[in-house]
Amino acid sequence: MTDTITITLNGEARELAHPTTARQLVSGIVDKEIGTDGTPVDGTRLGLAVAVDGEVVRRGRWAEFALAQGHSVDVVTAVQGG
């Protein structure tokens, strides 16, 4: 039996296996393998930012940042323009 947690992802409840890191969450969203530095191993760019409970989680910390029950996670896409 796997432990699970429920988080809010971009405003919607989502159940995840526990433990799940921010890197694993992003990897599942974009369907790409993400390296420990937070960049895709295929060399492409993500253009994403992750915030947990209103605080930005730096890309280099995604691999170590374990999501917990009740976290509110926003994964946003960078947009250019003025």
Side-chain angles (χ1 to χ4, degrees):
M1 186 167 131
T2 302
D3 288 333
T4 60
I5 59 171
T6 302
I7 65 166
T8 301
L9 175 62
N10 292 346
E12 295 186 15
R14 181 153 177 179
E15 192 170 280
L16 302 173
H18 179 69
T20 295
T21 65
R23 178 178 76 157
Q24 291 169 315
L25 177 66
V26 171
S27 180
I29 291 170
V30 298
D31 196 26
K32 291 183 179 186
E33 186 177 348
I34 308 294
T36 57
D37 63 353
T39 60
V41 297
D42 65 5
T44 60
R45 299 181 63 153
L46 287 177
L48 294 177
V50 175
V52 177
D53 293 339
E55 298 286 330
V56 173
V57 179
R58 298 177 68 116
R59 186 178 304 264
R61 292 193 54 230
W62 289 358
E64 67 192 46
F65 192 97
L67 297 170
Q69 176 71 28
H71 270 156
S72 179
V73 181
D74 292 304
V75 177
V76 296
T77 303
V79 176
Q80 291 182 324

